[in-house]
Amino acid sequence: MTAPRPTAENPSAPVFVGVGASRDAPVDEVLGLIADCLAEAGRAPAAVAALATVDVKADEPALRKAAERFGVELWTYPAAALAAVAVPHPTRAAFAAVGTPSVAEAAALLAAGPGAWLVVDKRKSAPPCGPPAATCALALPGPGPAPPAGARQPAHAPQRPGAGPARRHPSDQR
């Protein structure tokens, strides 16, 4: 028997969570945003395969604690690798802060691998006061059947980082 293909209709398919966070973001804000995105996608927390972000955030406490809470690794990618990924919502703010126009969407797509597609576009946290401290996006791996209506697929297959991520995607074993 073969494993089910990753589709939006298969809630047990692995989901890859891309996260961005301001310095010293509150862990509850990051966890709440991830939970909201998972609920929007109809995914259980057990479906999370990895959290992914930009390498300069590798030691961000809220991201480390979120990965620990989900029982997964925090994969990181260099800003140049994230910048090479076509995303639906690039921002100047992310580029100014970490050197790539996208963290959450690009990291989710890179982590999910070639042919990945977004099931939840970038969402910002909504703290009771103050600016959002986190962003999140969810991607499903490919190849698989065509994404359902409304899913966002990058204009090109995500580029794998050559070197530099703190943790490489398991398919990058050399």
Side-chain angles (χ1 to χ4, degrees):
M1 175 173 231
T2 60
R5 294 180 70 98
T7 67
E9 294 78 26
N10 176 5
S12 65
V15 64
F16 293 83
V17 179
V19 288
S22 300
R23 177 137 339 269
D24 297 322
V27 69
D28 290 341
E29 188 173 336
V30 173
L31 288 169
L33 178 60
I34 294 170
D36 290 348
C37 289
L38 289 170
E40 182 179 337
R43 295 290 190 266
V48 174
L51 268 60
T53 194
V54 64
D55 60 3
V56 298
K57 297 293 182 173
D59 292 327
E60 190 62 42
L63 300 183
R64 288 274 173 212
K65 288 177 184 171
E68 183 179 305
R69 185 81 52 95
F70 283 98
V72 298
E73 292 182 343
L74 178 63
W75 293 348
T76 65
Y77 297 94
L82 296 175
V85 178
V87 297
H89 303 103
T91 67
R92 290 183 180 153
F95 186 78
V98 294
T100 177
S102 172
V103 174
E105 289 176 334
L109 289 167
L110 272 177
W117 45 280
L118 295 173
V119 290
V120 175
D121 290 354
K122 178 179 72 178
R123 301 289 186 258
K124 293 180 183 180
S125 58
C129 59
T135 58
C136 180
L138 305 181
L140 290 179
R152 300 277 188 157
Q153 190 166 21
H156 67 281
Q159 299 297 307
R160 287 278 189 225
R167 302 216 187 261
R168 287 199 170 104
H169 187 277
S171 68
D172 283 347
Q173 301 300 317
R174 290 181 175 60

